[in-house]
Amino acid sequence: MESEELRVGGCRVQCSGPRAGREVLLVHGGPGAPGSLGAVARGLEDRFRVIEPWQRGSGSVALGVARHVEDLLRVVSECCRSARPTLIGHSWGAMLALAAAAERPERIGRLVLVGCGTFDEPSRALFRAQVAARSRALGIDLDGDPAQDEDARFRRQARLVDRLYAFDALDDQGTWTLDAPLDAPGSRETWADMLRLQADGTYPAAFGGIRAPVLMLHGREDPHPGPAVRDSLRPLLPQLEYRELPKCGHSPWLERQARAPFFKELRSYLAGPAFG
């Protein structure tokens, strides 16, 4: 097994696993959660060549979806041997993977969407209702102190969201890599741009040009409404397969009862016939 760290444009890229293994590229969530798929990389790197870019952070120019798509496609071009690697995206990363596949469908093989985010207001209303109900039940205040530093609020919310989004989380696991840089402005800017692109009709309409196989893996207890997201995508992606994981929240690899079934489903899918 070989590991290396690269720098591609504005992205730090972790590569691990056998060089001759089938390539899978992990697209983390957030926006602004670099390193959050590290445990997924470790669960795949015995057999697959895993490429894990950390998305660029904010700077003098506001971050947007197009910049992230450009970065991701550059990683595909410079770090992947295969013409069409598989993308595995989590949460926001699933949305970014779809956007990249829509931009360059000939460069992307299979897509795996884990805990995919929402693409319309009705789905977001269901999500907000679930989060509000769980917050009341657990006595969690996501807003916190408005006078607190933005990055500190972001860190606090991330820890609380871990609890809200989970079903039966493993005690020794966490979503965030401790040495990962936090970037609250980048998260805010990127998500605002995604909402803008949904409002102007760009997404999800652009996904109609994707012909690659698409697998959606979704926890049954994830507050992101899996069936609603699936139904918003199916008219554009009739090839989409939907598999729901019982006793599972938003991050299946962190779930006590769903971790093993998740990796079994994922590894079986990745080992299937290559596309393209």
Side-chain angles (χ1 to χ4, degrees):
M1 187 184 302
E2 300 181 39
S3 299
E4 61 181 331
E5 182 175 313
L6 308 172
R7 193 82 192 180
V8 178
C11 300
R12 171 181 170 183
V13 183
Q14 308 276 355
C15 302
S16 60
R19 288 188 179 275
R22 182 174 292 184
E23 291 171 324
V24 296
L25 198 152
L26 304 183
V27 190
H28 69 72
S36 59
L37 291 181
V40 178
R42 292 190 293 274
L44 297 175
E45 64 188 7
D46 64 318
R47 180 173 180 181
F48 302 95
R49 182 64 172 171
V50 181
I51 299 160
E52 182 194 0
W54 289 17
Q55 294 155 33
R56 76 165 63 229
S58 59
S60 58
V61 178
L63 269 180
V65 175
R67 189 59 181 268
H68 287 301
V69 167
E70 179 184 342
D71 284 344
L72 183 54
L73 291 172
R74 183 173 174 183
V75 171
V76 169
S77 177
E78 296 189 19
C79 298
C80 297
R81 293 175 295 98
S82 59
R84 303 181 77 151
T86 294
L87 300 189
I88 303 172
H90 174 240
S91 195
W92 143 255
M95 306 171 80
L96 176 55
L98 284 167
E103 182 71 19
R104 292 289 303 278
E106 77 284 359
R107 291 294 288 120
I108 306 301
R110 295 163 176 248
L111 289 164
V112 182
L113 315 177
V114 183
C116 188
T118 57
F119 288 100
D120 57 35
E121 188 53 40
S123 298
R124 274 191 292 281
L126 291 172
F127 167 72
R128 287 193 295 266
Q130 283 285 334
V131 170
R134 292 187 188 190
S135 297
R136 289 192 297 270
L138 295 173
I140 288 176
D141 174 20
L142 279 177
D143 293 331
D145 180 2
Q148 193 177 30
D149 171 79
E150 185 179 20
D151 279 343
R153 289 202 312 274
F154 192 44
R155 169 74 68 178
R156 174 183 175 275
Q157 287 173 348
R159 297 299 187 192
L160 294 175
V161 158
D162 279 354
R163 291 177 57 197
L164 283 175
Y165 289 7
F167 176 73
D168 183 16
L170 291 161
D171 296 333
D172 60 346
Q173 299 289 324
T175 297
W176 296 71
T177 298
L178 293 179
D179 66 346
L182 267 181
D183 185 22
S187 179
R188 170 173 41 78
E189 292 165 3
T190 298
W191 187 245
D193 193 46
M194 171 54 78
L195 293 180
R196 178 188 66 81
L197 290 165
Q198 291 184 20
D200 72 13
T202 300
Y203 299 129
F207 305 154
I210 298 173
R211 296 293 176 263
V214 182
L215 172 64
M216 190 173 170
L217 288 174
H218 210 90
R220 187 172 296 163
E221 307 303 327
D222 188 342
H224 298 77
V229 176
R230 173 200 63 200
D231 292 347
S232 72
L233 294 175
R234 270 256 173 87
L236 299 157
L237 299 167
Q239 74 273 33
L240 185 149
E241 298 179 56
Y242 180 80
R243 301 179 193 171
E244 199 165 72
L245 298 166
K247 300 179 180 180
C248 180
H250 188 52
S251 302
W253 65 95
L254 302 179
E255 293 280 349
R256 192 183 319 276
Q257 301 178 68
R259 177 183 171 86
F262 165 71
F263 276 111
K264 182 178 179 180
E265 287 270 11
L266 184 58
R267 290 168 70 93
S268 174
Y269 186 75
L270 295 176
F275 174 76

